Amino acid sequence: AAVSQTGIGNSSFVDQTGDGAIADVNQSGSNNFSDVDQSDSGDEAYVDQSGNLNTSLVNQEGTDVGADVNQSGNSNFSLVDQSSPGGVRPINSDVFVDQAGNGNSSEVYQRGNNALVSVTQDGDANISEVLNYGNRSEARVWMRGGADNNDVYIEQRAEDSFAEVDNFGSNNEADIYQREDSPPTENFYAQIWQDGDFNTSLIDQDGNDHQAWNHQYGDNNDSSILQTGSFNSAHVDQFTNNNASTVTQS
């Protein structure tokens, strides 16, 4: 399915059933909205929105699915939900979200193994939330526009997973939680980079053989690492003045 809209009151809804489905939605003008629902394996969704009140929702159920959302203007919001019918964990799902301007918010939910998430946010009031519920998941969030008062939350619930957050700006908060409902888990890796003042970072890991890295550049920043289990390692780098760091291992 291919949808291209340029006019003012844009709206789009795509519902696809069957393997290998492709949805390609391109909207440019004012009141944009796009909703893509896909069920089955090998499905792909591409959404490109540029102007004003953007919203994009992508819901995919199946294995080997992918979603690519690119929003640029104004009141952006994007939600991507990848799962599988009956609650069985799918495999090999990926999500790429790129938001450039203003009101940004991004939510990504993946309930499967071998999942990849990459979120890039440039402009203003960025908020990003990522939840991975499968083994060997990878989540990366870049907030690179130098904006202030932004929040990142990443939660990963199965082992052999990786999470990274990059914040540029002040008064930002980054939280990474890595733990499984049925411990013990192993081999979590979390890394947070923050460049600016009055930033807060938290890494909370439960299980064994985990690594946590907090890097902060600027003044009056706060770093916390909590690790429960055995053979875990914690690393903190803080540069300049009046920074605080707490590492708790048990």
Side-chain angles (χ1 to χ4, degrees):
V3 179
S4 178
Q5 298 176 320
T6 58
I8 295 175
N10 318 308
S11 178
S12 174
F13 178 78
V14 177
D15 190 349
Q16 295 176 312
T17 302
D19 295 339
I22 298 177
D24 192 344
V25 179
N26 185 353
Q27 302 178 124
S28 64
S30 307
N31 301 321
N32 322 303
F33 162 82
S34 173
D35 187 351
V36 177
D37 292 333
Q38 295 174 319
S39 57
D40 278 313
S41 299
D43 296 338
E44 298 179 6
Y46 302 93
V47 180
D48 181 1
Q49 302 180 126
S50 61
N52 308 328
L53 300 181
N54 324 304
T55 300
S56 174
L57 306 174
V58 177
N59 184 10
Q60 296 175 313
E61 295 185 353
T63 298
D64 298 306
V65 296
D68 192 333
V69 179
N70 187 338
Q71 303 179 133
S72 63
N74 310 323
S75 303
N76 323 304
F77 165 80
S78 172
L79 183 148
V80 178
D81 192 336
Q82 294 177 325
S83 61
S84 187
V88 179
R89 286 182 176 176
I91 59 173
N92 303 330
S93 58
D94 57 62
V95 175
F96 298 92
V97 178
D98 189 347
Q99 298 176 316
N102 309 328
N104 324 303
S105 174
S106 174
E107 299 177 24
V108 177
Y109 305 98
Q110 290 180 315
R111 299 166 181 84
N113 299 327
N114 301 330
L116 170 66
V117 178
S118 176
V119 178
T120 302
Q121 296 175 313
D122 288 303
D124 312 325
N126 317 314
I127 296 176
S128 181
E129 179 176 327
V130 177
L131 275 70
N132 292 135
Y133 289 93
N135 297 324
R136 299 173 299 280
S137 296
E138 182 175 331
R140 299 175 185 267
V141 177
W142 287 277
M143 291 182 172
R144 61 188 185 188
D148 302 332
N149 304 304
N150 298 314
D151 296 323
V152 179
Y153 177 88
I154 296 176
E155 181 177 338
Q156 294 179 316
R157 307 292 291 188
E159 61 190 14
D160 298 314
S161 294
F162 172 92
E164 179 177 349
V165 175
D166 287 31
N167 278 141
F168 296 91
S170 298
N171 296 299
N172 297 313
E173 180 176 347
D175 298 332
I176 297 176
Y177 292 87
Q178 294 176 317
R179 55 184 63 241
E180 190 167 19
D181 295 326
S182 301
T185 39
E186 296 181 343
N187 301 322
F188 281 135
Y189 187 102
Q191 184 165 243
I192 297 175
W193 298 79
Q194 293 179 315
D195 191 345
D197 303 328
F198 297 100
N199 293 312
T200 301
S201 69
L202 168 65
I203 296 175
D204 188 337
Q205 296 174 319
D206 185 19
N208 305 322
D209 298 304
H210 302 327
Q211 294 188 55
W213 296 75
N214 274 343
H215 311 271
Q216 293 179 319
Y217 301 84
D219 299 329
N220 302 295
N221 296 310
D222 184 82
S223 166
S224 297
I225 296 176
L226 287 75
Q227 294 175 318
T228 303
S230 303
F231 306 108
N232 297 313
S233 62
H235 311 266
V236 179
D237 295 324
Q238 292 179 315
F239 299 91
T240 61
N241 303 312
N242 300 317
N243 297 309
S245 173
T246 301
V247 176
T248 303
Q249 294 174 313
S250 60

